């Protein structure tokens, strides 16, 4: 599982940064990825990454401000042109369906795949399947804005091969059945229970992606115990009043959310155009004074979300 930032700029792009979008490259199912927000130019950034647009399966929009949304019509069209035929599920606030339908209708754009748009009005479970759950909650911005929590479901632990060998279970299909959680009856009538020959399950990873927001309880809930928290740091610590006025957070406030949530790592994004790349070190320094594992996300750099170590019995 990796995070790739397609855009980290707030409001408008600058020469070295695109507007907001972050991709979650999944290991299950292999080769697919999800996208959170889609500012103008996102598909151009994808061309510079190893991610293939035809393998995009889900798109999550946090809110309807243009720097998070204006890239959607072009991306949908290009996915079709590039041979994408599998359904695409799109989630976001009320008004998202009207925006997409209007853009496609007025431009005469035809899609060669089913497009499923689900508008979300309140906190709750967004999806449960394909090895993951996704929850959302409203944040505190100038317009209705969502944050998302992606939780990978636990995976079965490794088989205790030495125990199986001692029981006389030969390698082969029987191993697969036990790995899948099925108990096995041997020829002599003995029962080998899957629970007795599997190491502890591997905990799933959790990634929380916030839209634009002031510090709020919803963000803390979604980020609770996250392995990676993607959170905006539009302004430096000296501009807290401006952040409050415009519904944003500072670098220090981002770190405070990560600390309060007990997250493992903070990846800051959505930087004001006043900050060039050389200024991001200051934002990191400010955040790290509160939460040491804070980084200013760089575009087109992979950020791995490590698999928790296997635990023996």
């Amino acid at each position: 599982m990796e995070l790739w930032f397609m855009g980290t700029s707030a409001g408008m792009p600058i020469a070295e940064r695109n507007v907001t979008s972050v991709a979650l490259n999944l290991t299950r199912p292999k080769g697919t990825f999800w996208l959170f927000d889609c500012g103008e130019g996102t598909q151009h950034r994808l061309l510079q990454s190893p991610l293939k647009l035809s393998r995009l399966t889900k798109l999550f929009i946090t809110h309807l401000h243009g720097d998070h949304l204006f890239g959607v019509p072009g991306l949908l069209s290009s996915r079709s042109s590039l041979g994408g035929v599998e359904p695409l599920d799109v989630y976001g606030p009320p008004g998202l369906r009207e925006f997409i339908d209007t853009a496609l209708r007025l431009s005469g754009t035809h899609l060669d795949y089913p497009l499923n748009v689900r508008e979300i009005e309140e906190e709750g479970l967004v999806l449960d399947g394909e090895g993951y759950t996704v929850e959302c909650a409203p944040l505190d911005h100038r317009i209705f804005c969502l944050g998302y929590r992606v939780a990978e479901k636990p995976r079965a632990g490794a088989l205790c091969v030495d125990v199986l060998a001692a029981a006389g279970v030969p390698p082969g299909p029987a191993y697969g059945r036990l790995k899948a959680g099925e108990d096995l009856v041997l020829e002599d009538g003995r029962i080998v229970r899957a629970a007795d020959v599997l190491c502890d399950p591997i905990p799933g990873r959790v990634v929380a992606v916030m839209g634009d927001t002031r510090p709020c309880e919803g963000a803390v809930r979604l980020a609770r115990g996250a392995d990676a928290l993607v959170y905006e740091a539009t302004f430096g610590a000296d501009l807290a009043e401006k952040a409050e006025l415009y519904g944003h957070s500072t670098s220090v406030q981002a770190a405070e959310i990560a600390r309060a949530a007990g997250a493992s790592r903070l990846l800051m994004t959505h930087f004001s155009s006043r900050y060039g790349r050389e200024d991001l070190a200051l934002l990191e320094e400010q955040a790290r004074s509160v939460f040491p594992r804070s980084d200013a996300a760089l575009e087109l750099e992979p950020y791995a979300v490590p698999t928790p170590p296997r635990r023996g019995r």
Side-chain angles (χ1 to χ4, degrees), residues 98-308:
E98 180 183 0
F99 174 83
I100 292 174
D101 288 349
T102 301
L104 298 183
R105 175 175 55 82
L106 293 179
S107 62
T109 300
H110 173 74
L111 303 181
D112 293 323
Y113 56 84
L115 182 67
N116 308 310
V117 180
R118 176 183 168 187
E119 295 187 338
I120 303 167
E121 299 187 40
E122 57 187 17
E123 180 174 350
L125 186 67
V126 175
L127 67 88
D128 183 354
E130 302 178 20
Y132 300 88
T133 62
V134 179
E135 300 173 69
C136 73
L139 303 176
D140 182 11
H141 191 43
R142 288 176 292 154
I143 65 173
F144 183 72
C145 184
L146 295 163
Y148 295 97
R149 176 187 177 90
V150 180
E152 183 182 35
K153 294 183 178 180
R155 290 166 286 170
L159 287 170
C160 300
V161 178
D162 54 342
V163 175
L164 292 172
V169 181
Y175 277 29
R177 291 164 57 189
L178 289 166
K179 180 77 171 177
E182 180 182 343
D183 294 341
L184 188 68
V185 180
L186 302 180
E187 291 184 1
D188 60 8
R190 287 179 298 141
I191 298 176
V192 179
R193 302 192 183 281
D196 295 333
V197 297
L198 283 171
C199 295
D200 291 342
I202 302 171
R205 292 160 286 188
V206 174
V207 174
V209 182
M210 302 300 134
D212 293 1
T213 186
R214 302 176 180 91
C216 65
E217 181 56 33
V220 175
R221 288 199 310 274
L222 290 175
R224 187 77 65 192
D227 297 286
L229 166 60
V230 177
Y231 191 94
E232 70 134 286
T234 306
F235 299 109
D238 58 315
L239 294 177
E241 290 185 4
K242 184 178 286 292
E244 171 68 22
L245 178 64
Y246 289 101
H248 291 296
S249 295
T250 69
S251 54
V252 168
Q253 289 170 335
E256 290 171 342
I257 292 292
R259 183 178 62 184
S264 295
R265 187 180 189 185
L266 169 64
L267 294 170
M268 297 180 292
T269 185
H270 200 266
F271 308 114
S272 166
S273 59
R274 72 185 62 214
Y275 302 115
R277 182 163 181 165
E278 67 281 359
D279 300 313
L280 299 186
L282 173 60
L283 300 186
E284 284 184 332
E285 181 182 347
Q286 293 172 351
R288 288 171 181 172
S289 69
V290 175
F291 186 78
R293 291 208 67 199
S294 299
D295 293 287
L298 301 177
E299 296 179 18
L300 299 177
E301 292 283 342
Y303 292 89
V305 184
T307 300

Side-chain angles (χ1 to χ4, degrees), residues 74-91:
L75 180 133
L76 297 180
S77 177
S78 292
R79 184 179 187 267
S80 190
S81 299
L82 290 170
V85 295
E86 297 298 321
L88 177 63
D89 300 322
V90 182
Y91 306 85

